[in-house]
Amino acid sequence: FFKDLVDKVENLAAREKVSFRDLDDMEPGDSWPDTLANALQKSRVLVALYSRWYFERPYCGKEVQVFLDRQKSTAGKIVPIFWHSRDWLSSYKLPPQPVSHIHYEHKDFPAQYLEQGLSILAQNRGSVYKRFLDACAKRIIFLAENDPLPPYPEPPHLERIRSAFEAARERSFD
């Protein structure tokens, strides 16, 4: 999905290098937290692949927290993607409170996307997957080009940033 989405965004936006992904954009020996912080400092949009795994990873929560902090002065720039069906995620009380307010539906997203989740659509890469991919890419381009998210003055100090999801878990046990 990541490669398909990047290819679609680059094609529609007529640009090269529109993404950052730690698995693809880091070299052996790079400082992982520093490289991630530099990318988060300048990124215009965060595509968050909602899954149980995503919400349990501390650095995913830190990435979300950076964007929540950065977007206080502008429109939302987090694009949630449901890897599993909406019903399956909600059975686990997901997404958690810090991101539950972020709208995840779009008039151009096929209904099967929320009913089945992207993981099912991506398995056969059929017409519904392609429609979703096209609509998602257009949404990302729109968000990146309109009311751009100002960069942080300096890369965020990820070791000091608390995961948005960790704080939500603690509140749920209070």
Side-chain angles (χ1 to χ4, degrees):
F1 169 71
F2 178 77
K3 182 179 178 344
D4 291 344
L5 183 61
V6 168
D7 289 348
K8 180 61 96 170
V9 170
E10 287 178 348
N11 183 281
L12 290 173
R15 293 183 181 215
E16 292 181 15
K17 191 63 184 137
V18 297
S19 68
F20 171 83
R21 184 174 178 216
D22 56 358
L23 297 173
D24 299 328
D25 295 304
M26 292 183 62
E27 298 295 329
D30 285 351
S31 169
W32 183 74
D34 292 342
T35 304
L36 178 58
N38 288 329
L40 287 170
Q41 177 190 14
K42 301 173 205 141
S43 294
R44 294 183 185 190
V45 177
L46 173 67
V47 177
L49 196 60
Y50 283 12
S51 68
R52 281 185 67 193
W53 185 80
Y54 182 80
F55 293 119
E56 291 174 2
R57 300 199 36 107
Y59 270 87
C60 294
K62 290 176 182 246
E63 292 171 1
V64 167
Q65 190 60 56
V66 167
F67 264 78
L68 290 172
D69 292 344
R70 282 183 64 202
Q71 70 184 19
K72 287 181 178 168
S73 63
T74 188
K77 303 295 182 174
I78 298 173
V79 177
I81 304 293
F82 280 37
W83 187 243
H84 306 288
S85 72
R86 174 182 43 201
D87 292 341
W88 191 87
L89 284 171
S90 67
S91 72
Y92 288 97
K93 296 183 173 75
L94 297 173
Q97 192 281 325
V99 293
S100 62
H101 70 283
I102 299 173
H103 192 66
Y104 52 81
E105 295 183 62
H106 190 274
K107 63 180 175 51
D108 295 332
F109 290 176
Q112 297 95 319
Y113 156 67
L114 289 175
E115 294 165 6
Q116 299 173 357
L118 182 59
S119 64
I120 300 297
L121 300 182
Q123 287 178 13
N124 67 14
R125 292 185 165 29
S127 62
V128 176
Y129 173 77
K130 291 175 183 170
R131 278 192 3 245
F132 174 79
L133 193 65
D134 186 67
C136 187
K138 288 175 180 173
R139 182 71 186 146
I140 291 166
I141 293 166
F142 175 82
L143 290 173
E145 292 178 349
N146 293 285
D147 191 22
L149 190 59
Y152 259 7
E154 61 182 47
H157 299 282
L158 293 175
E159 69 281 354
R160 295 184 206 151
I161 293 177
R162 189 165 187 209
S163 165
F165 310 141
E166 179 184 332
R169 276 193 297 275
E170 287 178 3
R171 279 194 300 276
S172 70
F173 292 117
D174 288 344

